[in-house]
Amino acid sequence: MTAGAGAAEIGMTAAGIGSRGLEAAGHASVDLSVSGVGFQDWVSLLPPVQLQEVYRLVITGAKDGMSDLAIGGISSWQATNQAGGRSSYVQAVIPAADRYLADIDARQNGELVIEKGYRLAGGVTRHEEILRAKFDMARPDQGRRSLTLTVSGYMRGKPLSSGSRTLTGVRMISKPNGKRRVTCDIDLFLQPGMTVTALNETFRADYINYYVTQADKFCEVGER
């Protein structure tokens, strides 16, 4: 994503769940005036009262000659977002996964992509990628009533990003071994390498740990 000054057309994805749990896409346009470097922070241009956060897992299918598989309603996910010589990691838990097993098995060469989206008034949703990893492992756990599937993987070689972000919803700032670590809201546009500011503390985000469950969602942004 590259930001520039002037009017921008923002594509919106209209989400609906089909028989296989896939999200169908429509399109709407919103004219916005944006400026910046490296990304378009379209979320800050929308009325906060209209925003509802949603997360989904996408398993890419191009390497297997298939379309991408979008899975909404993942019960939890966690991840570590790193760059340079360090690997990123993604893990997601898919409840009632029986209906997805054949589709997931057909995309063994794909990548796991965590996307954060905002559902607006009228049911229009737009998603953006937070991070991705290779699809390395799938672990089924059979319960009394349904099967739960945990998928995970690693990705190495991601370049450092530039730019700056102000962290929001700060819960805590700690300094283990003199290195700052901030617990805060998940920032859709924050990537490792960016400069972050939180409560008058400014440092480079060397890693971002994400923790999302049905009960809570937050991230830890830290320096090394």
Side-chain angles (χ1 to χ4, degrees):
M1 296 178 292
T2 302
E9 181 181 86
I10 291 184
M12 297 290 187
T13 300
I17 302 300
S19 61
R20 301 177 73 87
L22 300 179
E23 295 199 9
H27 188 274
S29 296
V30 178
D31 289 327
L32 300 172
S33 179
V34 296
S35 62
V37 177
F39 57 88
Q40 291 180 350
D41 185 353
W42 50 268
V43 174
S44 65
L45 302 173
L46 299 174
V49 294
Q50 293 187 7
L51 298 178
Q52 177 186 351
E53 292 184 16
V54 291
Y55 293 93
R56 70 179 182 182
L57 169 70
V58 175
I59 304 179
T60 63
K63 291 184 178 180
D64 294 296
M66 307 189 72
S67 60
D68 293 348
L69 173 66
I71 303 174
I74 51 178
S75 59
S76 65
W77 65 272
Q78 58 182 327
T80 297
N81 195 356
Q82 303 182 113
R86 298 178 181 269
S87 296
S88 291
Y89 173 75
V90 170
Q91 180 189 83
V93 179
I94 306 168
D98 310 66
R99 55 181 169 159
Y100 297 115
L101 288 181
D103 292 326
I104 292 173
D105 188 62
R107 292 166 174 81
Q108 291 294 314
N109 296 306
E111 295 177 343
L112 307 175
V113 184
I114 295 293
E115 295 184 344
K116 181 178 181 179
Y118 288 91
R119 184 176 293 121
L120 310 180
V124 175
T125 302
R126 175 168 177 180
H127 292 89
E128 293 278 1
E129 176 180 336
I130 295 179
L131 79 164
R132 67 175 60 208
K134 294 180 180 179
F135 186 2
D136 292 331
M137 188 276 287
R139 189 193 73 224
D141 294 294
Q142 181 66 57
R144 294 181 60 185
R145 296 185 177 180
S146 64
L147 180 142
T148 297
L149 188 69
T150 301
V151 295
S152 62
Y154 293 85
M155 181 76 83
R156 191 178 180 88
K158 179 178 179 177
L160 291 167
S161 297
S162 60
S164 60
R165 302 289 290 169
T166 298
L167 303 181
T168 61
V170 175
R171 302 184 183 185
M172 180 179 65
I173 297 180
S174 59
K175 298 181 180 180
N177 300 318
K179 302 297 184 180
R180 287 160 289 193
R181 183 171 63 198
V182 180
T183 303
C184 60
D185 291 342
I186 294 174
D187 186 333
L188 175 57
F189 302 102
L190 177 61
Q191 291 296 324
M194 289 184 173
T195 299
V196 296
T197 300
L199 303 181
N200 298 317
E201 297 278 353
T202 299
F203 60 94
R204 190 178 81 164
D206 292 316
Y207 64 88
I208 309 158
N209 294 328
Y210 306 90
Y211 305 93
V212 177
T213 67
Q214 294 177 337
D216 199 5
K217 51 184 180 293
F218 62 93
C219 71
E220 293 177 345
V221 183
E223 64 178 344
R224 288 193 174 88

